[in-house]
Amino acid sequence: APSPAPAAPQAPRPRQGGPAPRALTPAEQATRQRVLAVAAQREAERREQEKISILSAAEEARRREEEAARQALEDAKAQAIAEAAAREAAEAAGTEHVPAALAVTTDEAKPAIVAAPAAARPVTPAVRETLQLKPGGRPAGADDEDEAPRGPGGVRRPATVAPKRGVPVAPAKKLGDGNRRGGRIDVQAALEGADEKVRSLASVRRQRERERRQAELELLRADGVKVVREVILPETITVQELANRMAARGNEVVRALMKMGVMATITQAIDADTAELVVSEFGHKSRRVSDSDVEIGLEGEADEDADLQIRPPVVTIMGHVDHGKTSLLDALRHTAVAAGEAGGITQHIGAYQVKAPSGALITFLDTPGHEAFTAMRARGAAATDIVVLVVAADDGVMPQTIEAIKHAQAAGVPLIVAINKIDRPGADANRVRQELLQYEIVVEEMGGDTQDVEVSALKKLGLDKLEEAILLQAEVLELRANPDRSAEGAIIESRLDKGRGPVATVLVQKGTLHQGDTVVAGAQWGRVRAMLDDKGANVKSAGPSAPVEILGLSGAPVAGEPFVVVENEQRAREIVEYRAQKLRDRQAAAQTAGRGTMEEMLARIQAGAQKEVAIVVKADVQGSAEAIGVVVTKVGNEEVRVRVLYSGVGQITESDVQLAKASDAIIVAFNVRANVQARELSKSEGVDIRYYSIIYEVADDIEKLVKGKLAPVHREKFLGYAEIRQVFNITKTGKVAGCYVTEGLVKRGCGVRLLRDNVVIHQGELSQLKRFKDDVKEVARGYECGLSFAGFQDLREGDVVECYETEIVAA
Ligand code: GDP
């Protein structure tokens, strides 16, 4: 089609008056016709267009009218809201603040609003201004219903409201930042909030949320109607955790604390007393738990009966020194090794398993003696199922035999008597059985139910019978465990190995321990990097009653502490941190109090919570020990009785401290002293050792304790220890001891006791104290001195001189 465009512009020109018209050529006429036709067509199109635009204009006008009407309604509402907002802003910000805000807004808000896309609406400037008055750039309405009536200090306000409303932000600043959108959204939000008909989905959601919160707050206010939570409070709790337990927001808790004058962040820990106040402020009930519930759930769930399977018994061998404990352990083990177990190389890991002829396994803890046994028990590990009491047939029941019996009885663990050395010429098994009767051990042969087996560790006689007896006892005990769960158990031994790092032998008591498990062992943790059995072989897993050496712990845990597999490292760290803190607390307490057990006991008796005073008596001679036992039992009354857990002769050992610790007892030391290890242990464990040399004083103190009246007073002040290095015989003065002061100091005229193996063999006064040739007043630790005793000559090398002063302390 020929384009009309080039002709069209020229066509009107002749009409607009130019040179005289001349006749058109036919070609020109034809062209003209064409042009006119096109023009007519164009005009028609234009008309049509115009018609449409007129129609749409009408439509537009109508629409505008409607919009104006609606806007007028909205304006009126917005005006009302804005006025309310202004009032509130004035209240919140203080009256002098308002005019400033107003002034700023009227100047700057206008152009901003006009420039904003939403400002196309015919909103009157006045309304626009007032709408912008809301502090924080957010008009009233949307939030107002959120506002919980504040508790005193505004504690109960939902935390989300705070950032928007807490600090009034001048709207001018917001708009000045060029944040026009913020302004627009706020206007719209105001309108949506005000007009139910046009509100958006988001606003519906907000409304629901408001209603929900309102309902919650309603409940909060009406005590008793609300779901009052029981909030469990450990000794310390982090703010976040406390908030979680109350189903409250962290910020609310922080604010509640602030109100109480406690500035704490969300991650900080607060004590239970403070937490209790917060809990009651929130209208909940609190329940204090003594131990941090970090440990709660650590033991895992109780096993179903159906899941339990028979497990090997765990045996500890006890008995008097030289009665053959070690020999018996070796004999049992070597028979097993000789009987064809791989390698034959035995490895000491603190425990081992043997296979009885029947094929059944027995686990032996190979730290013989009641010390280790009670040490473990004091730490809470009830690792031993059966005690084998070794008594030499040629020696009979001896002091440590009795101790072992007491320890086993205190723990409620059944005994099997192994009458050893029956190969010896002087062996008399019946005498042993007879002697045991005194200690409530009645063997089967004498009509009782304690098994006894005659053995010879040296000649390897009767070992299979002993194993049989153990397995029979195990059957009676119905020892069972669930192997299909995560492992739990006890630390048997641990050490720091130069090449391998911390190495611990653990006894699995429940479940199965696998290589790669994350474990918490006492105050240590780690991933089990490798496991070795008692033959030194690598193993991948260990089931109930199996002892294994594990590698990969963070440090060497203490024997007797429990170990448990946890789900992840974080949990492990959490528990270990808590335990380490607890240990530090206890040590600090032991250091400041120094007399932990005694004072705690007194407090418990005073509170009526304790009905028994348990004591361990150690004396220089049997007669004294018995006499003390009799007098202290007499001072007990109906309310509080006195129980002598154990009474024995000789120095105080770690074993005594462990026994006292395990039973919350105090130790009465009569003319005996604690050895160094026992002293250290008593300090760290907070076990009280009371030293006496007059029986009625023991009775006095215990009586006071029973009556819960007052703590016994220290009548004596310890000064120091000196060790006798050499004894000189000097004609004029008699025996003079050349000493070295090992602890504290030695003073002229002080009271002294001579200790031989920690038993007091003499008590008196110093007659002389010399350094070289000179008399001196006192000699301090680390120096040598010469001592002589008034009226006492039996001085020996290695004896220890204990020096003390007597103080009268008002009771
Ligand atoms: P422990 O202190 O209880 O561990 O006793 P030991 O196992 O060290 O044994 C002390 C001594 O008794 C050692 O010299 C052993 O050789 C010896 N002994 C142990 N058992 C027997 C036995 O059955 N018969 C004989 N004749 N001697 C034994």
Side-chain angles (χ1 to χ4, degrees), residues 320-327 420-421 423-424 456-458:
H320 193 71
V321 65
D322 277 350
H323 278 199
K325 298 181 292 291
T326 317
S327 307
N420 192 30
K421 305 196 189 183
D423 59 297
R424 278 282 186 96
S456 166
L458 198 70

Side-chain angles (χ1 to χ4, degrees), residues 55-56 115 128 328 355 359 535 565 591 664:
L55 277 172
S56 63
R128 274 186 230 129
L328 190 59
K355 199 177 261 179
K535 282 127 210 142
V565 171
Q591 251 160 29
D664 265 338

Side-chain angles (χ1 to χ4, degrees), residues 99-111 125-126 129-130 132-133 172:
L102 262 168
V104 174
T105 316
T106 31
D107 284 348
E108 291 183 36
K110 238 188 292 182
E129 283 159 21
T130 38
Q132 292 303 316
L133 272 177

